[in-house]
Amino acid sequence: MRGGAGVRAAGLAGALVLAALVVSGCGLKSGSPMVDDVTPGKLGQGEPLKGASLTVTSKNFSENIILGQMIGLVFKAAGAEVLDRTNLPGSISAREAIVKGDADAMYEYTGTGWITYLGNSAPIPDPRRQWEAVRDADRRNGVVWLPQAAMDNTYALAVSRKNNEKYHLRTLSDAAALSRKDPSAVTVCVENEFASRDDGLLGMRKAYGMRLPAASIKKMDAGIIYTQVSQSHACLLGEVYTTDGRIRAMDLTVLEDDRHFFPHYNAAPVVHAATYEKYPALAKLLDPVTAKLSTAVARELNAQVDVDGRDPHDVAKEWLLKEGFIKAG
């Protein structure tokens, strides 16, 4: 699933080096205190979290680490003592930390919540309705979903600008039409799992009537796909994630999913319910940050980590300072 449940590649450049995860009967024991000297900017005036001790978490890929760091820094500026437990392996570890109260807040993805955690097989096409459905259903698990961001980290197919000079593809319908007209022209590079998923290539081919002979489908690791699409003729199209910073860095064009086939994976803060009841100010602190997070913003921030090799914490802090949400102490 998107959002890190078994699909994300490991080894992200600049990932935080944290203490090893130790699980005991009392819950997670790892973490590092967030020691940044930050003060309120647009957010945190009056330090509404003064005296609070809060734990933030994330999954172990750049984007989610960046988002987790943002939460921690905002909480810190609002007066809280913050324990940093970002960069947990996979989706389930971070999810369980929130459910059990071992962590207080993180950014999650609506598609992951709806499909992976809540067990639904069919996504809801309207992103707002999907968020509402996840919000309502997950409350019984002790998880509060705050409003979602416009950033949508879902599947897509992309083409290099150079290769697209010949075909002028804009949408997945355009690619499907080309595959029917000239099947040999459309080669697609994808991950193994994506190739066989109903919400991946298998279902997309059916939804768009895309003609892809077996020889036209090349399976490889996610990181290699970007390079192959941008630098060779082995792949006309490649599976990408819509918020990936390499899209811009490698001058790729994402084809519009004009039939709205792929699930939405909008990012939204999730909070342990007991924490939210104790500190309802969390919503006012995080809503303005979420409202600024678009797919374009996410690509830029992710590129700073995955392309430029910067630390996710530094990227998150710099962005919050630039937006005026927090100030340096």
Side-chain angles (χ1 to χ4, degrees):
M1 297 294 178
R2 296 293 301 123
V7 177
R8 299 282 186 177
L12 299 167
L16 298 176
V17 180
L18 300 179
L21 176 65
V22 179
V23 181
S24 73
C26 297
L28 301 172
K29 298 298 181 184
S30 66
S32 303
M34 193 169 278
V35 296
D36 300 78
D37 185 10
V38 291
T39 59
K42 296 176 184 176
L43 304 176
Q45 294 292 327
E47 296 190 328
L49 298 183
K50 191 171 183 63
S53 180
L54 299 173
T55 298
V56 296
T57 191
S58 80
K59 309 175 193 187
N60 61 337
F61 60 94
S62 297
E63 175 178 293
N64 208 243
I65 297 171
I66 293 168
L67 295 175
Q69 294 298 311
M70 288 182 185
I71 292 177
L73 287 162
V74 169
F75 288 177
K76 182 78 174 173
E81 292 296 321
V82 177
L83 188 64
D84 179 358
R85 285 180 179 154
T86 56
N87 202 20
L88 295 187
S91 286
I92 301 303
S93 298
R95 163 71 175 184
E96 286 302 301
I98 295 294
V99 171
K100 294 178 180 178
D102 292 326
D104 297 293
M106 67 175 289
Y107 269 92
E108 189 50 90
Y109 300 87
T110 55
T112 306
W114 184 245
I115 297 170
T116 304
Y117 304 143
L118 297 173
N120 299 284
S121 58
I124 298 174
D126 180 83
R128 171 78 185 185
R129 287 187 55 228
Q130 181 169 267
W131 170 76
E132 290 173 345
V134 173
R135 176 199 62 189
D136 295 346
D138 217 14
R139 193 59 191 259
R140 67 173 179 265
N141 297 315
V143 179
V144 175
W145 285 73
L146 299 182
Q148 67 181 350
M151 64 171 286
D152 184 3
N153 187 356
T154 189
Y155 295 115
L157 292 184
V159 59
S160 72
R161 188 179 302 275
K162 180 179 179 181
N163 286 340
N164 206 26
E165 289 175 356
K166 179 178 180 180
Y167 299 111
H168 306 289
L169 303 177
R170 189 181 60 83
T171 66
L172 289 178
S173 289
D174 293 340
L178 177 62
S179 76
R180 294 189 295 269
K181 178 181 178 181
D182 184 5
S184 64
V186 182
T187 50
V188 183
C189 290
V190 295
E191 294 175 283
N192 280 316
E193 184 175 347
F194 181 79
S196 59
R197 294 185 65 87
D198 287 332
D199 62 348
L201 185 64
L202 188 64
M204 187 206 71
R205 291 169 65 184
K206 295 177 182 177
Y208 282 93
M210 190 175 290
R211 184 175 300 173
L212 292 175
S216 296
I217 302 173
K218 304 179 187 299
K219 301 173 185 177
M220 57 189 67
D221 290 338
I224 301 174
I225 293 173
Y226 289 81
T227 304
Q228 288 295 306
V229 173
S230 66
Q231 298 180 3
S232 79
H233 294 283
C235 317
L236 176 66
L237 305 176
E239 170 202 353
V240 299
Y241 306 142
T242 49
T243 59
D244 199 299
R246 290 168 292 184
I247 291 172
R248 180 178 176 182
M250 295 185 175
D251 201 21
L252 305 181
T253 298
V254 174
L255 300 186
E256 179 189 345
D257 179 15
D258 52 309
R259 294 191 179 180
H260 309 289
F261 168 76
F262 291 119
H264 291 285
Y265 290 87
N266 294 85
V270 295
V271 182
H272 181 64
T275 303
Y276 185 71
E277 291 173 8
K278 188 173 183 180
Y279 302 108
L282 296 184
K284 289 185 178 179
L285 290 170
L286 295 179
D287 285 354
V289 175
T290 303
K292 281 282 188 177
L293 293 172
S294 65
T295 298
V297 167
R299 285 182 189 173
E300 174 60 32
L301 298 178
N302 292 337
Q304 291 183 44
V305 177
D306 293 329
V307 178
D308 301 334
R310 297 188 62 200
D311 188 295
H313 178 87
D314 294 342
V315 171
K317 185 175 182 178
E318 183 179 277
W319 185 79
L320 290 171
L321 290 169
K322 183 185 74 172
E323 293 293 333
F325 289 132
I326 64 174
K327 293 181 179 179

